[in-house]
Amino acid sequence: MSMSDELSLLNEVRTGKDKAFERLILRYQPLVLHIVGRLVDNPEDVRDLCQEVFLRVHGKLHQFRGESSLATWIGSIAFSIGAAWLRKKRIPMLEAHAFEGDIDELIHDQPDPVCLHESLVDEESVAQLHKAIASLPPLQRTIITLYYLDETSIRSIAEITALPAGTVKSHLFRARIRLRQAFTQILDTQ
């Protein structure tokens, strides 16, 4: 959606045009479901939190100043609500020890990277990849899927998560290493 389309929809919602907020929900629901669903595992909680996101969006639309895209702003609300739920449940966003061994060893002693595109030749491999992604800590799982599946820029992910861009890049790097390790092990057992 272009910035002018976003602003047009936003103005329709703010002026109370019939079904405008419903259109906003339909447009941004996949993004909200993606972010909340990657942070929170329980489908019932995901549904409740998504509703909470859109209630908050509706209540705070007057605060949107257009400094970022509407998608990024709504995404940041979704991330904030998902992260608050994790804190409330005392579920860590990251594992304390994400790697076994020395990170430099992982970086320098890796064989050629596993080419996921070439490796994903059957449904079982795709299922294994999804399982490996699901095994990541919530923050890394969210960041890596926003970046690769939703093709969200580092800058936008940084705005959504309220993390510096360098930290987002670091999480992407570490998540790729973990996925490479997990997927390599999966391929070795097949």
Side-chain angles (χ1 to χ4, degrees), residues 1-17:
M1 183 177 266
S2 72
M3 188 65 102
S4 63
D5 290 340
E6 282 186 343
L7 292 176
S8 175
L9 177 58
L10 184 61
N11 286 333
E12 289 177 9
V13 172
R14 285 178 173 164
T15 60
K17 187 170 180 182

Side-chain angles (χ1 to χ4, degrees), residues 22-57:
E22 183 179 325
R23 285 196 322 275
L24 182 139
I25 291 172
L26 290 174
R27 170 66 181 104
Y28 296 104
Q29 188 173 33
L31 172 68
V32 171
L33 277 168
H34 178 92
I35 292 171
V36 174
R38 290 296 177 180
L39 290 169
V40 178
D41 286 335
N42 183 324
E44 290 178 22
D45 290 328
V46 170
R47 281 191 295 277
D48 291 345
L49 292 172
C50 287
Q51 287 178 349
E52 187 177 331
V53 168
F54 285 110
L55 288 172
R56 178 131 352 129
V57 165

Side-chain angles (χ1 to χ4, degrees), residues 133-178:
I133 291 171
S135 73
L136 293 171
L139 181 60
Q140 288 180 351
R141 184 171 58 230
T142 302
I143 289 173
I144 203 158
T145 55
L146 279 172
Y147 187 74
Y148 287 108
L149 300 180
D150 288 344
E151 298 179 357
T152 305
S153 70
I154 298 288
R155 181 176 160 258
S156 292
I157 294 171
E159 290 177 27
I160 288 170
T161 60
L163 294 171
T167 303
V168 170
K169 289 178 185 178
S170 175
H171 286 301
L172 277 171
F173 175 77
R174 291 174 181 272
R176 283 191 298 257
I177 288 173
R178 289 190 64 178

Side-chain angles (χ1 to χ4, degrees), residues 113-121 129 133 179-180 183-184 187:
V114 174
C115 180
L116 294 180
H117 178 68
E118 292 173 8
S119 301
L120 297 177
V121 293
L129 175 61
I133 291 171
L179 286 176
R180 185 179 305 134
F183 206 64
T184 301
L187 291 175

